[in-house]
């Protein structure tokens, strides 16, 4: 089993989402000894945004790209190869201003490639990243689960489904900025959710 861990918090050691993602990975490795792990920290190795130059590179035929364009496409290719090789994807995702961290959006923009990770057929879109499990550890200062303010879960579920990733488990740690007791309660609940999700 190949595990790909994606960390998206701007924080390093203090990040709850990274720690929860670490915990999911530890549980998975426990269940499947010999599992391999690739960790991509999107803040330590930031991926460039999808700007006009990047679009130009992607829409230029491979044999006509400049060296700079080829390098830009190759950097996206590397992220695509990582997720293609994974059997399980584990993401740590803080809520930042009601959305996902910008580096995670950049990663999603990089792995969403027509003809490679999705394609359109006469029946509509078809995701090409199949047979993978996804675990998402969500961390929030407030509490937004199952409310319209939680734009993260519908967004991530939509984009993952579009790419063929339909087996997605969300783990929530909410209320982390609501005092020490609320933080402890949130983390204890997240640990229980992790045990349940990995056992499922
Ligand atoms: C810039 C910034 C924006 C944030 N925006 C929100 C928010 O919109 N809603 C919320 O509930 N918490 C928000 N928080 C709190 C974080 O989600 C919370 O601290 C979380 O634990 C961060 O994840 P991490 O521990 O992995 O770094 C924000 C924190 C920061 C630093």
């Amino acid at each position: 089993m190949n595990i790909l861990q994606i960390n998206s918090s701007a924080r390093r050691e203090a990040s709850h989402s990274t720690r929860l993602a670490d915990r999911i990975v530890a549980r998975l490795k426990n269940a499947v000894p010999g599992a391999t792990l690739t960790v991509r920290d999107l803040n330590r190795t930031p991926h460039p945004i999808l700007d006009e130059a990047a679009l130009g590179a992607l829409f230029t035929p491979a044999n006509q790209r400049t060296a700079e364009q080829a390098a830009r496409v190759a950097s996206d290719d590397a992220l695509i190869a990582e997720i293609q090789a994974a059997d399980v994807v584990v993401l740590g995702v803080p809520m930042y201003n009601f959305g996902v961290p910008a580096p995670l959006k950049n990663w999603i923009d990089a792995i969403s490639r027509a003809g490679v990770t999705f394609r359109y057929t006469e029946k509509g879109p078809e995701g090409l990243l199949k047979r993978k499990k996804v675990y998402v550890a969500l961390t929030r200062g407030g509490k937004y689960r199952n409310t319209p303010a939680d734009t993260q879960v519908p967004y991530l579920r939509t984009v993952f489904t579009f790419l063929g990733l339909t087996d997605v488990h969300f783990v929530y740690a909410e209320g982390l900025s609501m005092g020490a007791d609320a933080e402890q309660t949130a983390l204890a609940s997240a640990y229980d959710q992790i045990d349940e999700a990995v056992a499922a």
Side-chain angles (χ1 to χ4, degrees):
M1 179 169 80
N2 294 326
I3 306 169
L4 173 61
Q5 179 176 348
I6 304 290
N7 299 332
S8 67
S9 172
R11 303 198 290 177
R12 296 187 182 206
E13 277 67 37
S15 164
H16 288 301
S17 60
T18 300
R19 279 198 226 131
L20 292 175
D22 289 345
R23 194 177 177 102
I24 295 169
V25 168
R27 292 288 180 279
L28 291 168
K29 285 181 127 183
N30 218 24
V32 183
T36 63
L37 173 64
T38 302
V39 180
R40 182 161 287 269
D41 188 305
L42 299 175
N43 276 281
R44 288 180 209 203
T45 50
H47 197 75
I49 62 165
L50 186 60
D51 58 9
E52 188 167 22
L55 283 177
L58 287 162
F59 286 99
T60 300
N63 61 357
Q64 292 170 29
R65 285 178 191 138
T66 64
E68 199 184 334
Q69 287 178 321
R72 181 63 182 81
V73 175
S75 71
D76 283 7
D77 289 345
L79 299 191
I80 290 171
E82 263 175 15
I83 194 164
Q84 284 174 328
D87 302 298
V88 183
V89 186
V90 179
L91 298 102
V93 183
M95 180 179 276
Y96 285 160
N97 303 313
F98 296 99
V100 300
L104 182 62
K105 179 61 167 65
N106 291 345
W107 178 79
I108 289 169
D109 286 340
I111 64 161
S112 303
R113 172 92 58 85
V116 180
T117 55
F118 70 91
R119 68 178 170 196
Y120 276 96
T121 69
E122 52 292 348
K123 290 189 203 130
E126 180 190 2
L128 300 176
L129 293 174
K130 296 184 191 217
R131 292 177 291 282
K132 301 178 196 300
K133 271 190 183 229
V134 180
Y135 298 89
V136 186
L138 301 159
T139 51
R140 288 112 183 245
K143 296 187 178 184
Y144 301 104
R145 185 176 184 171
N146 295 330
T147 75
D150 183 356
T151 61
Q152 291 183 307
V153 168
Y155 166 65
L156 291 173
R157 202 183 279 290
T158 299
V159 75
F160 287 152
T161 302
F162 182 77
L163 297 174
L165 303 165
T166 51
D167 190 357
V168 186
H169 300 260
F170 290 98
V171 169
Y172 299 77
E174 295 201 301
L176 293 170
S177 305
M178 295 170 67
D181 287 352
E183 182 181 287
Q184 285 319 306
T185 304
L187 294 175
S189 163
Y191 299 159
D192 288 345
Q193 293 169 58
I194 288 171
D195 289 345
E196 253 177 57
V198 172

